[in-house]
Amino acid sequence: MKRFIEVGDLTGQIAQAMRNVSESLKVVDLADFQRRTSNIFQEIGRHFKNTERAQKILDAGWVPYAGMPIDDLPEQATADQVDIFMNSLIGDRWVEVRNCLANTVAMSKVDEEAVVTFDEALSAFENGHYRSVVRVLFPEIERVARDTVYGGSRKDWSIDERKETRRLNTGLGALRESLMQHLPAGLGVYADFGFALTQKMDSHLYRYVESTPEDLAALQADPVPNRHASQHGYVTYSTAQNAYNALSMTAFMFDTILRVDGYLRRKAQVET
């Protein structure tokens, strides 16, 4: 049975949500309802505002981390201003950044092996071993995904379920497809800057590297490491920016993978 499955027609879900709202209006005080909905829309507005800033940070070659003081960055910040902002964080405020990254990993409920590996990567960063940070984290993301959402299997799930069509799940193809197309949107966007980071994960982090000079040049120009380019030695990720980006993206990946795994386990219990 496929581990990743569609979760229902979006139109039907919206219609049911509207019916729920209609029923609620019959019993909820109007002033209280307005107050609650106002808070909801304020939160939605804040989320999209932060998504725009997160995209600016990504466009400038940096990965935002959960808990970062994003309000300190001007809404209309230029790429140079983003560079100054991020270099200041990982330089002058590294302890604060480190604590946020480690807390994201701890709160994800990922296993002890992943926690220890991430802690070693943090230490490598602090000692200037930037290549080591990138090269140790991608295999750990793969292991965590294999042991959770893939149920221990080394194979990705195919659309038609024929075993001969399955490939190794090193690129997390089924996980990425499910987050982008099938699973509830909240699994990807729940985390800080989750919408922007999920898109970056799908479009860049696990993108297959073509052998053309143009494709390699495009990957070399992006300071966010690519799994295929890193693990096969197509691009050398040796800067503090490369290593920091790997740490931030890994913290997001651990959190998202465990969130998806929890959802799938709960859904399986309901269905049985």
Side-chain angles (χ1 to χ4, degrees):
M1 179 179 179
K2 277 202 290 188
R3 191 82 204 279
F4 299 97
I5 53 179
E6 255 184 84
V7 295
D9 175 65
L10 180 59
T11 303
Q13 294 180 34
I14 293 174
Q16 183 59 52
M18 293 302 293
R19 286 193 292 271
N20 292 343
V21 170
S22 178
E23 289 300 314
S24 298
L25 285 173
K26 296 177 182 179
V27 296
V28 175
D29 176 78
L30 182 58
D32 180 64
F33 176 77
Q34 289 176 327
R35 182 169 58 255
R36 290 172 182 270
T37 54
S38 176
N39 290 338
I40 290 171
F41 283 114
Q42 285 178 9
E43 181 63 20
I44 291 172
R46 184 192 67 81
H47 181 81
F48 279 102
K49 181 179 178 181
N50 284 350
T51 294
E52 291 177 1
R53 287 186 184 176
Q55 192 58 55
K56 279 184 176 291
I57 293 171
L58 284 166
D59 289 343
W62 298 87
V63 177
Y65 63 89
M68 73 182 298
I70 199 166
D71 287 339
D72 293 351
L73 181 69
E75 288 188 44
Q76 303 303 320
T78 64
D80 287 341
Q81 288 176 311
V82 172
D83 280 339
I84 293 170
F85 174 71
M86 293 303 302
N87 278 305
S88 175
L89 284 176
I90 66 172
D92 302 334
R93 301 168 66 175
W94 169 245
V95 173
E96 176 187 321
V97 175
R98 189 193 208 282
N99 288 341
C100 285
L101 292 171
N103 184 62
T104 297
V105 172
M107 294 296 290
S108 74
K109 306 299 183 184
V110 75
D111 65 16
E112 184 64 20
E113 177 65 20
V115 173
V116 172
T117 300
F118 192 80
D119 188 62
E120 288 184 0
L122 286 169
S123 297
F125 178 87
E126 292 167 344
N127 285 285
H129 303 317
Y130 303 133
R131 291 175 180 84
S132 299
V133 174
V134 178
R135 292 176 182 177
V136 76
L137 287 176
F138 276 115
E140 193 61 15
I141 294 172
E142 179 184 334
R143 184 194 68 79
V144 168
R146 185 178 64 246
D147 289 352
T148 56
V149 293
Y150 285 103
S153 173
R154 296 174 61 195
K155 297 290 186 177
D156 219 341
W157 294 109
S158 63
I159 298 301
D160 58 13
E161 278 294 285
R162 290 181 300 176
K163 290 183 179 180
E164 62 268 24
T165 69
R166 296 181 184 177
R167 299 179 179 180
L168 291 176
N169 53 26
T170 52
L172 307 186
L175 172 63
R176 293 187 290 116
E177 179 186 350
S178 296
L179 276 169
M180 298 299 292
Q181 299 180 29
H182 304 304
L183 293 171
L187 293 174
V189 303
Y190 179 88
D192 283 0
F193 325 119
F195 182 75
L197 293 179
T198 298
Q199 289 189 313
K200 186 68 174 180
M201 174 197 69
D202 188 55
S203 66
H204 173 75
L205 206 69
Y206 287 92
R207 182 167 69 85
Y208 180 78
V209 182
E210 300 293 344
S211 59
T212 65
E214 294 79 12
D215 198 41
L216 287 174
L219 283 170
Q220 289 170 337
D222 194 327
V224 180
N226 167 277
R227 182 260 171 205
H228 195 212
S230 168
Q231 299 308 109
H232 294 286
Y234 299 136
V235 178
T236 299
Y237 295 108
S238 58
T239 70
Q241 186 174 0
N242 296 149
Y244 157 78
N245 283 335
L247 286 164
S248 185
M249 205 71 203
T250 299
F252 168 75
M253 289 297 295
F254 284 168
D255 184 52
T256 300
I257 290 169
L258 269 291
R259 199 182 306 283
V260 170
D261 186 56
Y263 168 80
L264 292 174
R265 290 179 186 279
R266 291 191 299 272
K267 195 172 192 307
Q269 289 176 352
V270 171
E271 291 177 345
T272 56

